């Protein structure tokens, strides 16, 4: 309907207002108006929808994945990098050059200010049902808390802007992260007490979202310099409340891990919070390469199958950005082990007890273009073209495959992984795109109930209750067990420690824009990058690994403050140490 354009902090901020339909949060711009439009029933509805639109910006494009998954123990270099985040490159990861994290800063503050506008003008709305107004205010507060939670984890002390800015200003400085956490908790607590149990439409946040976020925020703060004595107890309390009352919110774990990421189930019963996308090019970037509202989740982890004989790029297998290559640690984390870490599976049985690997990774590609890439016209569509066995194969097996007719297929063993060739995370596959290179229109899941169980487990572990932690972890692990293998997937209380919890979070949540936060929160970022991110090596068929382990420094637990923000405020905003 209408659109408000504001300029502040030297950045043009688009406040897109909207109408909503019963299916998704959607925008329909028609004209320009003043901020006071937010003080009308139509305006506040549209304004809150505008605040939601920021979720697409920070949970969909390259910056979303480079700033949360790259440079960790799970992913090493793909064929392209961003801002030095993948290998802590001292030339690229600077206040002037770190484009991905600078983008996150700018986008979060844009939508924080939009939320502030909604909250300021909400007090002037006339002619709206009070219950509806209370709901909209609660949603705006929760979303503001979410954007601040992203900022404080990346940058530490950040400007705390809780009032609407409609004029340019340079009078801005960083607030202590303790104040930022207090503001986040205050917003979430208020939202929890005033928000609906269930969403009125897909994409809306709920009381369950607030509970999960409160648990997560307290868990995060507990290991920060702002920690409070009751943080772990509060994390456990809110996670337990959500788990114990999940039916109240229409929630539950899917019975099969594969169902969690089935296309069309992005608003399923396990989902607590997501970023909605659609095919409307006005508000969802469908093609292009610059940071915006595009959804590249389906492509970031996709390897170069399109260079293999008898294969061509298609909608089914997706667009191979190949940004993030699987580490050996991630692949091997799905091997069942005993309490001492010894593998209980070998050969073809590897990764078969825990079904998540085979359900969430693509290891087999089938012929879709006979003769392509110097292939053979004799190749049969649907036959095997490429296989990642996840283990080194005996010479006899390789010889048999090479002699196969009508044509052999390519085998890429772990020792042959490169920045181009590796098993592909398939959680985000998007087959409903209208073009081969078009971006995904699937919603991206931000938080889901399985993580709530793992948050509860971590909190109870720190509260010296490993038995309770074990029970929550086993709930997630039992869901992942192969038929008849539930008992084998269960762990004992003696196995629970922070490394096992991180291992389980890797198995369950890999690729879901969480890992860098996890390693930073637990104080394991440097240790695990050095231990599990493989060093850059040259191979006969390419390059594998990165310089992350060699480059990472203590100060990399925070991101550089964008130089533009320091300059705009006349140095009132200061830089993080080390940059």
């Amino acid at each position: 309907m209408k659109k408000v354009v504001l300029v502040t902090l030297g950045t043009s901020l688009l406040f897109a207002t909207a109408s909503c339909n019963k299916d998704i949060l959607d925008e329909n711009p028609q004209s320009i108006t003043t901020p006071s439009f937010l003080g009308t029933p139509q305006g506040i509805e549209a304004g809150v929808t505008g605040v939601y639109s920021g979720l697409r910006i920070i949970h969909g494009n390259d910056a979303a994945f480079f700033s949360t998954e790259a440079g960790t123990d799970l992913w090493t270099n793909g064929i392209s990098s961003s801002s030095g985040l993948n290998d802590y490159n001292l030339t690229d990861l600077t206040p002037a050059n770190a484009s991905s994290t600078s983008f996150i800063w700018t986008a979060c503050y844009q939508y924080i200010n939009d939320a502030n506008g909604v909250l300021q003008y909400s007090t002037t709305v006339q002619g709206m049902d009070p219950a509806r107004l209370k709901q909209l205010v609660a949603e705006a507060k929760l979303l503001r808390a979410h954007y601040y939670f992203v900022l404080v984890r990346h940058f530490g002390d950040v400007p705390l802007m809780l009032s609407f800015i409609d004029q340019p200003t340079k009078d801005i400085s960083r607030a202590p992260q303790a104040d930022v956490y207090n503001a986040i908790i205050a917003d979430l607590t208020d939202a929890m007490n005033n928000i609906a149990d269930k969403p009125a439409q897909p994409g809306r946040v709920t009381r369950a979202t607030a509970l999960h976020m409160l648990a997560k925020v307290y868990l995060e703060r507990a290991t920060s310099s702002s920690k409070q004595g009751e943080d772990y107890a509060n994390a456990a309390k809110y996670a337990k409340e959500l788990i114990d009352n999940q039916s109240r919110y229409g929630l539950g774990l899917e019975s099969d891990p594969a169902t969690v990421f089935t296309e069309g189930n992005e608003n399923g019963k396990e989902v607590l919070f997501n970023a909605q996308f659609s095919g409307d090019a006005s508000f969802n970037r469908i093609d292009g390469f610059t940071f915006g509202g595009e959804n590249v989740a389906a492509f970031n982890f996709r390897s170069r199958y399109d260079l293999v004989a008898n294969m061509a790029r298609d909608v089914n297998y997706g667009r191979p950005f190949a940004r993030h290559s699987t580490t050996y640690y991630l692949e091997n984390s799905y091997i069942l082990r005993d309490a001492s870490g010894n593998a209980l599976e070998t050969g073809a049985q590897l990764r078969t007890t825990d079904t998540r690997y085979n359900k969430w990774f693509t290891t087999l590609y089938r012929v879709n273009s006979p003769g392509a890439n110097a292939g053979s016209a004799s190749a049969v569509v649907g036959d095997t073209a490429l296989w990642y066995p996840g283990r080194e194969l005996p010479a006899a097996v390789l010889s048999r495959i090479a002699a196969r007719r009508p044509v052999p297929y390519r085998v890429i063993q772990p020792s042959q992984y490169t920045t181009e060739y590796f098993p592909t995370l398939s959680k985000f596959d998007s087959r409903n795109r209208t073009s081969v290179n078009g971006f995904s229109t699937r919603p991206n899941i931000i938080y889901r109930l399985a993580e709530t169980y793992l948050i509860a487990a971590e909190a109870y572990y720190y509260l010296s209750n490993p038995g309770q932690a074990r029970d929550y972890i086993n709930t997630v692990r039992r869901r992942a067990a192969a038929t008849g293998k539930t008992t084998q997937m269960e762990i004992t209380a003696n196995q629970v420690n922070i490394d096992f919890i991180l291992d389980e979070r890797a198995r369950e949540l890999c690729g879901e824009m969480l890992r860098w936060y996890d390693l930073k929160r637990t104080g394991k970022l440097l240790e695990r990058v050095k231990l599990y991110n493989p060093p850059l090596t040259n191979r006969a068929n390419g390059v594998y690994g990165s310089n992350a382990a060699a480059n990472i420094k203590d100060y990399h637990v925070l991101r550089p403050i964008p130089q533009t923000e320091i300059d705009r405020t006349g140095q009132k905003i200061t830089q993080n140490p080390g940059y």
Side-chain angles (χ1 to χ4, degrees):
M1 297 174 191
K2 299 187 179 181
K3 187 186 335 183
V4 180
V5 179
L6 305 175
V7 178
T8 181
L9 304 181
T11 304
S12 177
L13 304 186
L14 174 66
F15 193 112
T17 65
S19 63
C20 302
N21 62 37
K22 66 180 180 179
D23 297 319
I24 61 170
L25 292 171
D26 199 10
E27 293 86 357
N28 182 25
Q30 293 182 358
S31 63
I32 301 291
T33 189
T34 61
S36 60
F37 173 63
L38 295 170
T40 67
Q42 182 187 35
I44 193 170
E45 289 277 7
V48 171
T49 302
V51 181
Y52 274 102
S53 69
L55 299 177
R56 287 195 295 271
I57 303 296
I58 63 171
H59 294 290
N61 60 29
D62 271 338
F65 292 96
F66 272 112
S67 62
T68 56
E69 295 291 338
T72 66
D73 51 353
L74 306 188
W75 311 101
T76 188
N77 278 12
I79 59 175
S80 64
S81 60
S82 176
S83 310
L85 296 173
N86 57 310
D87 60 2
Y88 302 93
N89 184 289
L90 301 181
T91 300
D92 294 334
L93 189 55
T94 69
N97 296 336
S99 57
S100 287
T101 49
S102 295
F103 175 83
I104 295 294
W105 174 290
T106 300
C108 284
Y109 276 112
Q110 172 178 338
Y111 293 98
I112 285 169
N113 197 49
D114 291 353
N116 289 341
V118 168
L119 295 173
Q120 175 175 311
Y121 283 93
S122 68
T123 60
T124 68
V125 175
Q126 300 293 322
M128 174 175 264
D129 175 36
R132 179 59 182 164
L133 180 60
K134 180 186 289 188
Q135 170 73 20
L136 292 171
V137 168
E139 290 181 29
K141 287 188 174 183
L142 188 150
L143 292 171
R144 181 172 68 175
H146 175 70
Y147 293 129
Y148 264 120
F149 192 37
V150 171
L151 287 169
V152 75
R153 286 180 290 173
H154 277 299
F155 301 102
D157 298 348
V158 294
L160 185 57
M161 319 288 288
L162 300 179
S163 298
F164 183 52
I165 298 176
D166 58 2
Q167 297 293 328
T169 179
K170 294 183 177 180
D171 189 20
I172 300 171
S173 58
R174 299 170 72 184
Q177 66 171 337
D179 294 345
V180 180
Y181 272 114
N182 287 339
I184 291 169
I185 290 169
D187 271 352
L188 290 175
T189 302
D190 189 69
M192 177 183 66
N193 293 327
N194 293 286
I195 203 166
D197 284 357
K198 299 178 182 179
Q201 61 185 147
R204 293 279 183 180
V205 293
T206 65
R207 191 172 192 274
T209 315
L211 287 169
H212 179 90
M213 286 190 63
L214 276 166
K216 194 172 178 71
V217 168
Y218 278 115
L219 188 68
E220 187 85 25
R221 190 175 72 170
T223 54
S224 76
S225 60
S226 307
K227 62 185 177 182
Q228 301 293 313
E230 297 301 309
D231 282 346
Y232 286 126
N234 281 322
K237 178 180 75 172
Y238 289 113
K240 184 176 186 301
E241 181 179 343
L242 176 53
I243 292 167
D244 290 350
N245 298 282
Q246 56 192 271
S247 61
R248 166 182 168 179
Y249 307 106
L251 298 170
L253 292 179
E254 300 285 357
S255 59
D256 185 342
T259 307
V260 178
F261 292 96
T262 298
E263 290 181 66
N265 195 43
E266 299 86 359
N267 300 300
K269 65 179 183 178
E270 189 165 323
V271 178
L272 301 169
F273 191 18
N274 62 22
Q276 296 282 317
F277 291 84
S278 76
D280 181 356
S282 299
F283 287 91
N284 298 262
R285 193 180 300 274
I286 299 173
D287 287 293
F289 293 93
T290 57
F291 289 153
E294 71 270 24
N295 183 0
V296 301
F299 312 143
N300 259 238
F301 304 94
R302 178 67 59 184
S303 58
R304 295 303 304 271
Y305 70 90
D306 58 333
L307 301 180
V308 174
N310 304 311
M311 293 294 296
R313 185 179 301 187
D314 65 10
V315 170
N316 180 61
Y317 285 125
R319 188 174 176 178
F321 275 18
R323 299 285 196 254
H324 311 286
S325 177
T326 313
T327 63
Y328 296 134
Y329 158 71
L330 175 57
E331 184 175 51
N332 291 335
S333 70
Y334 292 97
I335 298 173
L336 186 69
R337 300 179 185 277
D338 63 21
S340 299
N342 301 308
L344 298 175
E345 302 169 320
T346 59
Q349 298 305 309
L350 288 174
R351 308 176 194 89
T352 58
T353 305
D354 188 332
T355 66
R356 287 173 291 191
Y357 180 76
N358 288 310
K359 290 178 177 179
W360 289 345
F361 283 81
T362 299
T363 58
L364 183 70
Y365 290 85
R366 299 185 182 278
V367 172
N368 64 5
S369 183
N373 297 317
S376 170
S378 299
V380 178
V381 172
D383 202 356
T384 301
L386 170 64
W387 180 38
Y388 293 94
R391 63 188 188 279
E392 301 299 309
L393 297 179
V397 174
L398 293 173
S399 296
R400 186 167 63 248
I401 293 170
R404 188 174 179 271
R405 296 294 179 265
V407 295
Y409 55 85
R410 185 169 178 182
V411 175
I412 301 180
Q413 303 167 95
S415 62
Q416 298 169 315
Y417 294 170
T418 68
T419 57
E420 292 184 302
Y421 299 108
F422 48 86
T424 290
L425 182 69
S426 58
K427 288 178 175 179
F428 312 114
D429 283 1
S430 180
R431 297 178 177 86
N432 64 350
R433 295 171 294 116
T434 57
S435 66
V436 170
N437 291 328
F439 291 121
S440 174
T441 58
R442 294 183 64 184
N444 277 347
I445 297 171
I446 299 172
Y447 299 136
R448 56 188 178 92
L449 188 61
E451 190 196 10
T452 314
Y453 281 86
L454 297 179
I455 289 171
E458 189 173 337
Y460 276 106
Y461 165 72
Y462 282 122
L463 291 170
S464 300
N465 190 342
Q468 185 69 66
R470 170 208 59 205
D471 293 345
Y472 285 124
I473 292 170
N474 278 340
T475 299
V476 175
R477 288 180 61 82
R478 281 192 291 266
R479 193 261 296 267
T483 302
K485 298 294 183 69
T486 300
T487 301
Q488 290 91 324
M489 284 288 287
E490 292 177 345
I491 64 167
T492 67
N494 289 335
Q495 290 176 261
V496 178
N497 56 43
I498 194 57
D499 283 306
F500 189 93
I501 290 169
L502 282 171
D503 293 344
E504 195 60 36
R505 287 185 66 89
R507 287 182 282 265
E508 181 68 25
L509 303 168
C510 61
E512 297 180 42
M513 296 173 280
L514 297 170
R515 191 58 174 185
W516 187 83
Y517 299 137
D518 290 345
L519 297 185
K520 175 195 170 178
R521 179 187 74 251
T522 56
K524 294 282 188 174
L525 179 64
L526 273 75
E527 174 188 327
R528 283 191 162 235
V529 166
K530 290 180 178 180
L531 189 61
Y532 296 128
N533 199 303
L536 190 66
T537 57
N538 291 306
R539 291 179 169 171
N541 57 332
V543 177
Y544 181 69
S546 80
N547 290 316
N551 290 340
I552 194 168
K553 302 290 190 298
D554 290 348
Y555 65 83
H556 284 137
V557 295
L558 292 175
R559 308 302 198 184
I561 304 295
Q563 189 62 44
T564 52
E565 301 303 313
I566 294 173
D567 295 342
R568 285 170 180 162
T569 60
Q571 314 298 310
K572 288 184 179 179
I573 292 179
T574 57
Q575 187 53 261
N576 276 326
Y579 293 105

